[in-house]
Amino acid sequence: MTINSVYILSKSGGLIYQHDHNIPTLEHEKTFSFPLEIKLELQNRNVVVSYGQRDGIKVGHQLAAINGVKVTTAQLEDGRDAMQVLADEANYPINLKFTRPKLTTNEKIFQASMFYPLYALASQFSPEPKSSGIEVLEADNFRMNCLQTLTGVKFMVISDPKQSGIDGLLHRIYELYADFALKNPFYSLEMPIRCELFDEHMKSALEHSEKLGISNV
Amino acid sequence: MAEETVFDFIHMEAVSYVFQGEKVSEDEAVSKLEHMGFATGYRLVERLTRESGRYKDELDIMKYICKDLWVTVYKKQIDNLRTNHQGVYVLHDNRFRLLTHMANGKQYLQYAPRYLAFTCGLVRGCLANLGVTCVVTAEVTHLPACKFQIQVQRG
Amino acid sequence: MAVCVSVIGKENSPLYVWVGSGREELHLHYLAHTGLDVIQEKITSVTKTPGDTRDLYLGLLYATEEYKVFGYTTNTRIKFVIITDAANTTLRDNEIRMMFRRLHSLYTNVVCNPFYIPGHQISSREFDKGVAALVAGN
Amino acid sequence: MTGLIRRTFVALDEEIFKSLYVALIRPHLEYANQPRRHCEMTIYNLYLFDRDGQLLYYAEWTRKKQSGMTKDEEAKLMYGMIFSMKSFVTKVSPVDLREGYMSYATNKYCLNLYETPSKLKFVLNTDTHAQGIKELLHQLYTQVYVEYVVFNPLCSLNKPIESELFATKLDEVVKQSPAYASRPA
Amino acid sequence: MALEFDPYGLPSEVTTPPCALVGMMGLDINTKATHKAVWEAFALNRRPDRIPLHFSLLTPDFQLPNMKQKRQSYEWYIPKGILKTNWISKYLKHIPALVVMFYDLDWNDNNWMEKKNDLAAKVQTLKSVVGCRNSRVALVLIQSGISVPGEDTGAAEKAATLCTACDVPAKHLFVLPHSDAHLIGYTVRLENALSEIAWSFYQGEAKGVQGHRDFLNKTNHTLLFVRHQFKLGFFNELRNDAQTAIKHYAQCYRQLLELRSTDTNLHEIRIVASIVNYKICRLDFTLNLPRDAIAQFRRHIDLFRQRTGPKELIFEHYAWLSKQYQIFGDVFEEAVRVGLPAVQTQHPGFYYQQAAQYAVLRRKTALQVCKDVSGPVSDLLEGWDKLEFYGQRPWRPGKHSLEPPEQHREAEGIKEVQYHELREVNHSNTIIPLFSSAISQFKKYRCPRIKRHLMVQMAEEYHQAQDSTKALTLLSHVMWDYRSEKWWKLLSSASTLALQCAYNTASLMEYCSVALEMMGKKLDVTQQHKLTVHANLTKILKGEPPEPESNNTTTTTANRGVDEVREAWMSLLGSHMSPITVDMTTLVPCLEVRASFTQHRVHVDQRVNVVVKIRNSFVSTLYLSSVSVTTNIHSYNDKLIETDSDKLILPPNQTTDIHLSFLPLVEDVGKKVKVTEVRAQLGGSDSVVGVVLQWAGVGNEGVTAHTADTPAFLEFSVLCQDAYDTTVPIPETEILPRQPQLSIECEYDSTSLVWEWLPITVNITNTEESPIADISLNLGLDSSSPSSLEHTTQVCTSSGLQSDKLGSQVCGFRCGDLRMAEKSSVTFYVKSLTASERTLHLKVEYSVSLSLGVSSVQCPCVSEKTLHIQARIPFQVSVETQSLKFEKVGRVSGGEKFVVVPKIKCTSHVPITLTHSSLALVNEAQVVGSDVKSQVSGTELSEGEVGVDCFCVAFTHSATSNSPLSLGQYFLYWKRSGSECVAVRMSVGLPSVVVEHWGVCVECEAAPQGTVRTPLPLTYIITNHSTTTAELALTMQVSDAFMFAGHKEVRVRVLSGCKERVCYTLYPLLAGNVRLPRLSLSMDSQSPGHPTSLDPLLARILPSHVYIMPQAKESDTMVSTVTNQLSTLLVS
Amino acid sequence: MSRQSMRANDPKKVSGELFTLTYGSLVAQLLKDYENVDDVNRQLERMGYNIGMRLIEDFLARANPGRCYDLRDTADKIQQAFKLYLGVSPSIGSWSPGGDEFSVVMETNPMAEFVELPEHCLGLRYSNILSGVIRGACEMVQLEVMAWFIADQLKGDNMTEIRVKFVKRLEDAIPAGED
């Protein structure tokens, strides 16, 4: 059982808290000969697999390192341009390391803001009157549960679809939020939550519910 | 079974091909299809009748068309065969394969003839090669049911 | 095996005539042609008598001092005539029958060639090959 | 609780009280009234989009509330939503993900998105309890769409579907599905 | 001598069916009629149903062939041959099995004794003659008297004595009463008896032969075994016992085969074999065992096919084989003739065919082996036909040895035979009949193709026999069939022969046609040959004789012919003969033609184009000097010809189009032009001899359609490369009238009104390039419209409007000529008498002068238009009769006034104007008042509006009473508002009313209104129209609306024709429309006490109310006068 | 041989033949309509493309093969499809080093089973419809490829070979108004 991460969105949809609890890192290394058997392309300044999958390397993965030299935003540490390196036959055989891209903070914020309208639309499209927004979003290999308070604060937990007791967890988090963020007089709404106590309790809550899978709240 | 899928699609394309372009006359296009059907039937029957014994008479042949041919081509037998014994045969197919995907009722009725021309030709071709010259016409009033009329030309 | 293999059209015109090399070609043409007399007789007589004698294979049409002439007809009014040496007694009736059946399917393939005009003379590499194999008896 | 506040704080100015109130009381209020799920099992409506986001077909059964816009707008918006939802999902997904099916649920209904490799998108709104919707959608694709659209020469693949036969067959299949009528135990 | 004698055939005695020989003595047929009758009864017309016997008339002094003395032992006897040639005929002709002695002798003959002795003597001598051969003897007494033996005992014992006297067994004595009535009957019975005796003889002979067998030994007498078995067979045949006969013959054949055979004795053996075989087969057939027969024959042939004999005489072998087949064919056929069923696959034909083929082979081999024979050396062949033994060599008769006795002589002999074969034998004479009998057989058994094959071979034979003409005719039939069945290979070989024949017979036409065919691509002839043929053809065209056909098989014979043939050609070509015509339609020539129009119909002012497609399938270019097309309309034919030789060059394997055209004639409009034939002159301009190729018939292809590779089903023509094969010619075209260049507009309202004259204005504009003349218009009902309309439709022009008899057509309304672009317009008027749709047909005919090329013709043109008119009823008129109080009345009394009110409801789609209306009343009624005006004249009504007319009418008193009386007619004149054409009159029948007769009439004089409390005078005037005085009782009822002064109740007498006034003064009490005090009258009738009340009348005619005005403050100004006049109310 | 032994030619085969023959008639018609053989080839490819677009749906529905992110999968699927629809299993091979190009090789081409090209249209790519089908089908699953014949038994080659080349991956259509 895994709980991957927690998001808290403020009333206005801003990301005020995010915690990656348990994100598996997928890394695959392979030595290729020329010409490259998989198609790479630049997607917002990253070298990404666009077509062709080899032992674990999947479409969408990012080029992390060439011959052990780290690659960030299509740049090797030594400043060479990744694409050029790949294009040059002389560099082959070549060892490439791909990872499944992790979200950067900015992306997280962006995604959070992206979820906001979805949530709204969901209730607008409801075939039944006065529907809430998205409460559970399920893809075939993860699930996202979302709890919105009347005040419009959203608590979101991303977990394994088989993970149970998420509702309980959400309420626990809500309590934590109430106790450790709101009750903290120096915390003002809409602002990112920075508070050790909160973090600690959050972690323990997550581990707790991961452990027994069911919430006892 | 996948083989007839490809036939369905090639037939589809044949139809849309003869009707492509704006200035084609319906008759011209239809007769093109009919001729394709004829050629196909003529050649096909050569194969199909290879294993069977010699046919006694016209009716024998018609039965063959309704049973064996129809089954091999359209996966079902003709539902009803009528004749006036003066060389007119009427074949009823209550669920004609090329129409079953289209509609159940009157929708697309005006297009139905396009999808029967080939078959008319097919039947005519088969018969022609079996020594029966005839005119074959089709009639639809309610898809996917369909009525083929075979008018044998004597003498 | 055979000394002459011929395919004859609906209207009794020859579509294909193969004659073994070194044979009196013209004479065999005549034999194949005259075989039609008997074929027609047989076909018409059968259609008169209702019965199971509806075999496509018509058997021995007639024999001269030096040749045996066999016939076969398809449902599509195509006739095949195969001529063998009268001396050749090794050929069983069934073998002849099989030859015809092979010939028939060869012919069928020709007809199924979308570029072949039914009723026209057969000029087909495949068919030639097939017949060659047929008469060679393999 | 309010009492407690009074007792604790002797001198209260507006400011503080407000913040205190927000901090201490509201959460309880909110906590108190959780929205409650209503139970009635059904299929509301279906959108079928082609690969270019065009609405090929729309059908509705027990839809109670309209979105209050024209079908086009609604379709556009719907496609927009599922599009961004897809990208959202791919992004936030912690692991590589198999495309083809996803769904979300609100307290009232459940939206199911089934996408064929040929990028046809079936969007089916059901109640929140509906089971086996993925299978249902797959069935709609293979037994209805393919049969009566792909095999109907008169239906062009990139135009809204007019075939009545398609409509009736679709209706049949949907209505036969347990998710349509059955009431939860 | 060689002609009738055939050394390989069967001798006649063998083939004559053997039957017992019975000799007859004592018949004097020359002098005695009875004897003649008896003889004939026996000998003549022996039908098959009678017992096979052969009678011969013997002279008293006849002798038997004396027989060689019986040899005691065969030890040293070496037979010289197998079968003696004389033996058979000996038993057939010379040795009677039985001799019958005829004698005229009645039982009761007067000098019975003498005759008996005389007879006995005769018998003795006879016996002495026949005794040695122990032929049997029998007695027949020819008796005149009908006496049955036993009837009188005398006869019986006389017979007995006679037998003893002549010493013949009693059962050899017969009596033949020649009461000619039953002669035949007697003879038949008699010959049964006789045959028994005869057969017993042969049985005896057979026993004799068997007797010899014991003496024979295998070493020397093998031949005798054969011979004896043959004899046994033969005797059994004679005694009509086929089965046994076959047994012995078969045995015989077997033993024959056991003989050692060498080249030397082979011939004898095979000849004997053929005889025995013949016997067996024939008997098998007679016993109806065809299978056995055939089997026997097969064996026979198989056994001897390999035994060819000496190679220098190989032809004999084939001659013999050929004979065998022929013989069997004959036997077979004979059997069929007597009823044996034969089938397609097993009939005499095959044997004749084989016989013919061997005969051919015989000649072939003969020509080979006999190449170098010199003339006759010796007379070694002398007596070939009369040898002692069958099948022996004339140069060594009686020698049946395995080796030739003298080698040299043998060789000589062989040479002789060869020489004979080569010079004396006319093979064709044997071959041709064989073929022809084969042909007739195959024809009989439905084998047309085999028949054709034989015909070809026969033709070859004729060709050999220098009879090319016959050959050619045979071939021509065959070739036609081969063409239609497309057996080109066979056709080719036939053609090759035909060409030779055509050459040999110098028949130009055939030569050309065959040549053209051989040049074509279908015939499988070597390139080289085609070229030579072409070369020859060109020679001919140049007037030179062609080269003789090479590869003439029989060079020897041919060479002899060559020179004469060449001569023939010379003279033929020399004599400038008229061009010959070759009918190509029946050929498969190197030139194929299709003539086709370019359109199915042509307008008379356009050119008609004909395209002649000519395909040249020869390997090199061909030239024509002219091509012409013939059509069914001859006037065009001279235009449909192309002679420009540059256009007539036909490159190889291409289709050349030749374009012809003509201008159709005006008088042919409506006709169809058909292509009936295409003719082409072969060869360039330099050719001397005219050879015209002719294609006749639709598509001009005839059989050549076969050569065009047109697919059997047009569906496959997509696959054809050469358009020639798929283009379907247009064989005929229709000549249409010229397309009119005229613009015609018609202005009219498509909905007309019934009865109105609807104007239709036709505007014509000439849009031709030239002026048009004598335009004439026809307007009328469309021919298709129902006849009912014809009577209810009128059409006319302005002139006709007035006329009353108008039809539904206006024909030939001329409106002169029009210059270019000139307009003119005509107005027609159409009247519809019923409300229904009418289709009118407008036809404008005119003529325009066209300059076609040089000439200019007046060309008639027609342009037509159809118009549709929907007629509708303009209005409905309903007429009412009303009392003066405007209440509907059906009855009035004489003299009483009432009103006639026609109501006119407009149903027209356009406003109509009523111009005038009037009444035409019957005599009894007339309009009241002088200037009666129509109330509706000038009124315009639109749809739905109603106009009301009104006339005041009264009946005369004379009007007959108490029966409905029709008033007459109402005439209404109307037209469309605003149309300037004259108004239409419509008449409506008026309703009929019943006239009553009261005698008296009452009128009321009163002011139209009164005022409250102001006296109001009121007077009733009673008039008496009757002839008698009227006694009336008058009562005035009280009313609370009035007080009145005057008689409340009074009796009045009114004299006939007088008036009486009864006056009242009313004093109104109430205001308003007040009811007047009711007046009631009753008249004393003839029967007192039964007064008739007039009240119903009064109620109708007297005013019931009066209007009373309240007291006016000031003297009231408005005073209106009572008007009788009513005004039309418009109700909308 | 008569009636009873009417173990009528195995239906699978026949409907295959029906297709083959129908296709033949169609090609014949095309040859008639366009005099230029290249036009015919083009037209065939176009038809194939149209068929491909529909056929893929049928294929997905039948085989439910799932998405593929690699040309090798695609190749397998194509192989599978050939088996399914033409009843032949072609071999896949001669990959380009870049793995972006491969060949579909058929020992026997059922479509051309009976065909013998006449002289006048040796330029005809008889089975060209196949390349069209492949292109059309791939395009429907976001795969732009090129497909063309490089060997054809009708031209005397000893097998029939279609070359397929990966061009690029097609992305989802951006909904209207969002970029």
Side-chain angles (χ1 to χ4, degrees), chain A residues 15-86:
Chain A
L15 180 67
I16 55 171
Y17 180 83
Q18 201 279 339
H19 169 64
D20 281 342
H21 174 64
N22 175 355
I23 298 289
T25 45
L26 301 160
E27 287 193 336
H28 299 284
E29 251 180 283
K30 186 179 194 311
T31 315
F32 293 88
S33 57
F34 188 84
L36 207 50
E37 281 191 334
I38 49 179
K39 299 273 162 276
L40 301 178
E41 68 181 26
L42 276 179
Q43 282 175 6
N44 45 36
R45 305 191 0 276
N46 284 325
V47 182
V48 177
V49 179
S50 71
Y51 191 63
Q53 305 198 132
R54 289 280 174 292
D55 21 10
I57 305 169
K58 294 230 165 47
V59 170
H61 284 196
Q62 247 177 43
L63 178 59
I66 298 179
N67 297 337
V69 186
K70 239 172 133 296
V71 179
T72 38
T73 68
Q75 287 277 324
L76 277 76
E77 280 175 328
D78 52 27
R80 282 180 299 163
D81 175 284
M83 284 317 241
Q84 284 169 4
V85 174
L86 292 169

Side-chain angles (χ1 to χ4, degrees), chain A residues 7 15 18 20 46 62 73 101-111, chain D residues 91:
Chain A
Y7 289 71
L15 180 67
Q18 201 279 339
D20 281 342
N46 284 325
Q62 247 177 43
T73 68
K102 289 223 173 65
L103 292 180
T104 64
T105 326
N106 287 342
E107 283 172 321
K108 287 173 180 162
I109 292 168
F110 176 78
Q111 292 306 331
Chain D
K91 281 286 182 309

Side-chain angles (χ1 to χ4, degrees), chain E residues 374-588:
Chain E
S374 51
V377 208
S378 57
D379 52 4
L380 284 176
L381 294 191
E382 270 312 313
W384 194 358
D385 50 345
K386 40 183 103 64
L387 291 162
E388 186 188 359
F389 289 95
Y390 290 119
Q392 291 195 337
R393 295 303 189 185
W395 59 86
R396 46 178 166 84
K399 297 272 184 307
H400 180 97
S401 51
L402 299 181
E403 290 312 321
E406 310 156 60
Q407 278 305 347
H408 172 67
R409 193 174 167 77
E410 189 70 15
E412 287 298 306
I414 288 174
K415 285 234 175 325
E416 282 302 318
V417 176
Q418 290 184 336
Y419 178 80
H420 172 271
E421 180 74 10
L422 198 53
R423 288 283 170 271
E424 309 299 335
V425 181
N426 178 338
H427 294 91
S428 298
N429 285 0
T430 53
I431 298 171
I432 291 174
L434 284 172
F435 274 126
S436 61
S437 41
I439 286 173
S440 58
Q441 289 294 329
F442 279 105
K443 185 163 179 212
K444 182 169 163 198
Y445 294 102
R446 293 185 310 285
C447 301
R449 295 177 182 79
I450 301 182
K451 186 186 120 208
R452 271 171 233 142
H453 184 195
L454 290 165
M455 285 165 79
V456 174
Q457 291 165 305
M458 194 165 170
E460 274 161 6
E461 198 48 47
Y462 273 122
H463 179 57
Q464 294 273 343
Q466 298 298 301
D467 193 344
S468 295
T469 337
K470 278 215 186 62
L472 207 47
T473 38
L474 272 174
L475 287 172
S476 60
H477 294 92
V478 179
M479 286 163 76
W480 199 93
D481 292 316
Y482 287 160
R483 274 187 211 104
S484 54
E485 282 195 340
K486 301 187 182 182
W487 283 76
W488 307 131
K489 183 118 193 126
L490 307 187
L491 180 58
S492 313
S493 75
S495 308
T496 323
L497 181 58
L499 194 61
Q500 291 168 16
C501 298
Y503 173 78
N504 293 352
T505 53
S507 39
L508 180 50
M509 211 260 270
E510 286 73 4
Y511 191 90
C512 293
S513 51
V514 177
L516 285 164
E517 200 160 42
M518 288 181 79
M519 285 159 59
K521 66 165 180 288
K522 287 296 175 189
L523 266 65
D524 137 22
V525 181
T526 63
Q527 186 85 331
Q528 186 45 46
H529 196 176
K530 289 190 187 211
L531 289 169
T532 42
V533 169
H534 178 234
N536 282 331
L537 199 55
T538 10
K539 271 172 171 287
I540 290 179
L541 292 172
K542 289 210 175 64
E544 306 160 18
E547 292 305 318
E549 282 305 305
S550 58
N551 74 313
N552 252 352
T553 46
T554 58
T555 39
T556 51
T557 46
N559 294 342
R560 217 187 315 132
V562 165
D563 307 335
E564 302 116 57
V565 174
R566 201 172 170 70
E567 277 313 308
W569 279 103
M570 286 298 204
S571 55
L572 174 66
L573 298 171
S575 63
H576 56 59
M577 33 81 161
S578 54
I580 59 130
T581 307
V582 181
D583 178 4
M584 303 291 269
T585 37
T586 59
L587 300 182
V588 188

Side-chain angles (χ1 to χ4, degrees), chain E residues 870-889:
Chain E
Q870 175 63 55
R872 61 190 286 174
I873 308 274
F875 48 74
Q876 282 133 4
V877 179
S878 58
V879 185
E880 261 188 15
T881 48
Q882 298 178 350
S883 72
L884 290 183
K885 293 153 74 183
F886 300 108
E887 291 154 348
K888 191 173 190 317
V889 291

